Amino acid sequence: MLITKKKRTFAHIFTTMQYSRVIFRVESAESFVQDVLTQQLADIGFDSFVNEADGSLTAYIPTSQYSRQALNNLLSEFPFGGVSLCNTELCEDKDWNAEWERNSFQPIQIGSECLIHAPFHKDLPQCRYDIIIDPKMAFGTGTHQTTSLILSELLKLDLQGKSLLDMGCGTVVLALLARKLGASPVTAVDIDTWCTENAADNCRLNNINDIEILLGDARLLEGRHFDVILANINRNILMMDMPRYATCLNKGGMLIISGFYEEDISILQAKASECGLALSQSNTRDNWAMMVLNK
């Protein structure tokens, strides 16, 4: 069982909050179909998801935010077949944050160089870069394809002494690896207070005290300049904020983006070209994509 949280679409979960559980049957040979369903459910207020052993998807939403009409509309317009609604029910009251932590992610190893794990994980392999993440309710433990794509790309780069921005930082895992790789100064930005607080906690867990963490959106970037910008968000936000990224990227700088699907690459490439950014490479994993753009 894997419980995941989606970025900036979750409610702050407290003991007293009433949740509804919705179970979907996903009968598709394509693994990315469940990812697409999860993302679209997140867009209408679902905030936690369990990939069941039988291939079904269990999704949770605060009962106050649940709309059967919105769910029906989503399913009727869903672009892939084999997805159906099985059951909807109210959940018993419980401490959902404690439940999340008990069922948190397993350690993630990227090649032989980087290990990402929670404080409570034991008997871990030795890697050059060890990153401790207490994910709470924030997105970005390295398990999702978009995060792992960027982490893998960072391990290939010479970041020594380069200024770096982690836009939409979530748990700040990308900024933490970048800082360990020598990037400096490093700035991390997110629009959600829960994420920025979790980011600060994770910096302390890793004994890193010089990552600047800011609460807000791309408007905070005015007057700032970076050699490298990381943005793991979603296609619509990337399209909207691309001009701001291009403006604050130093000449010869690099923009690494993810959080979108393979079919979105051409759209984002066209927008990047309008902003004076050239595609140097792209990579995909399970239909999720990453692009590296240069100024």
Side-chain angles (χ1 to χ4, degrees):
M1 179 176 71
L2 173 64
I3 298 180
T4 58
K5 296 288 171 180
K6 284 299 170 185
K7 190 182 209 173
R8 281 187 294 283
T9 55
F10 53 77
H12 291 175
I13 296 183
F14 299 100
T15 304
T16 56
M17 184 173 287
Q18 179 68 63
Y19 264 70
S20 291
R21 178 191 295 115
V22 183
I23 302 172
F24 300 88
R25 180 178 292 109
V26 181
E27 298 175 308
S28 173
E30 302 292 347
S31 61
F32 67 82
V33 171
Q34 195 167 98
D35 285 328
V36 175
L37 177 61
T38 298
Q39 184 63 57
Q40 292 195 8
L41 289 170
D43 290 341
I44 62 171
F46 286 82
D47 60 39
S48 22
F49 308 88
V50 181
N51 301 324
E52 306 288 4
D54 64 1
S56 63
L57 177 71
T58 301
Y60 294 86
I61 185 171
T63 302
S64 61
Q65 297 182 29
Y66 176 62
S67 166
R68 184 56 184 266
Q69 184 60 54
L71 182 57
N72 287 341
N73 291 342
L74 184 155
L75 291 173
S76 66
E77 298 172 5
F78 193 69
F80 304 101
V83 174
S84 58
L85 178 64
C86 294
N87 188 37
T88 302
E89 59 188 6
L90 286 175
C91 302
E92 75 261 27
D93 288 336
K94 64 173 73 175
D95 186 336
W96 288 100
N97 196 57
E99 186 75 5
W100 159 236
E101 292 189 8
R102 277 197 300 272
N103 294 281
S104 188
F105 70 101
Q106 295 302 306
I108 302 127
Q109 189 169 350
I110 301 175
S112 60
E113 290 197 84
C114 182
L115 180 71
I116 301 167
H117 62 92
F120 51 78
H121 288 139
K122 306 296 182 185
D123 301 321
L124 298 168
Q126 295 295 311
C127 286
R128 184 177 181 184
Y129 303 106
D130 186 277
I131 299 175
I132 305 171
I133 292 294
D134 188 0
K136 299 296 184 183
M137 308 308 294
F139 176 94
T141 63
T143 58
H144 196 271
Q145 293 89 332
T146 59
T147 312
S148 62
L149 280 167
I150 296 181
L151 289 167
S152 297
E153 186 63 27
L154 290 177
L155 288 167
K156 302 174 187 176
L157 302 177
D158 177 9
L159 296 178
Q160 193 66 43
K162 293 185 178 179
S163 56
L164 181 140
L165 168 67
D166 181 1
M167 195 70 196
C169 64
T171 63
V172 84
V173 65
L174 298 178
L176 285 170
L177 178 58
R179 184 67 190 91
K180 288 174 181 283
L181 289 166
S184 180
V186 175
T187 302
V189 177
D190 205 289
I191 64 169
D192 198 294
T193 305
W194 193 277
C195 289
T196 55
E197 290 175 353
N198 183 221
D201 289 341
N202 288 328
C203 285
R204 285 189 287 271
L205 283 172
N206 290 274
N207 297 313
I208 291 178
N209 57 16
D210 57 357
I211 292 179
E212 181 185 26
I213 301 171
L214 302 175
L215 175 66
D217 57 23
R219 288 173 292 186
L220 291 174
L221 304 183
E222 186 172 354
R224 291 172 174 261
H225 295 88
F226 304 92
D227 298 315
V228 180
I229 298 175
L230 315 175
N232 183 16
I233 308 180
N234 65 56
R235 191 193 75 174
N236 293 339
I237 299 298
L238 291 170
M239 291 285 287
M240 180 175 66
D241 290 344
M242 190 84 71
R244 291 183 186 270
Y245 300 154
T247 298
C248 67
L249 195 64
N250 290 329
K251 185 176 181 181
M254 177 185 300
L255 170 63
I256 303 176
I257 59 175
S258 193
F260 51 91
Y261 303 114
E262 188 172 357
E263 52 266 32
D264 297 324
I265 290 177
S266 59
I267 299 170
L268 286 161
Q269 184 177 1
K271 183 65 176 181
S273 181
E274 291 176 8
C275 300
L277 302 174
L279 177 66
S280 64
Q281 72 172 87
S282 63
N283 198 1
T284 62
R285 188 171 297 163
D286 297 330
N287 203 47
W288 292 97
M290 177 204 68
M291 299 169 63
V292 179
L293 304 154
N294 292 104
K295 185 173 181 178

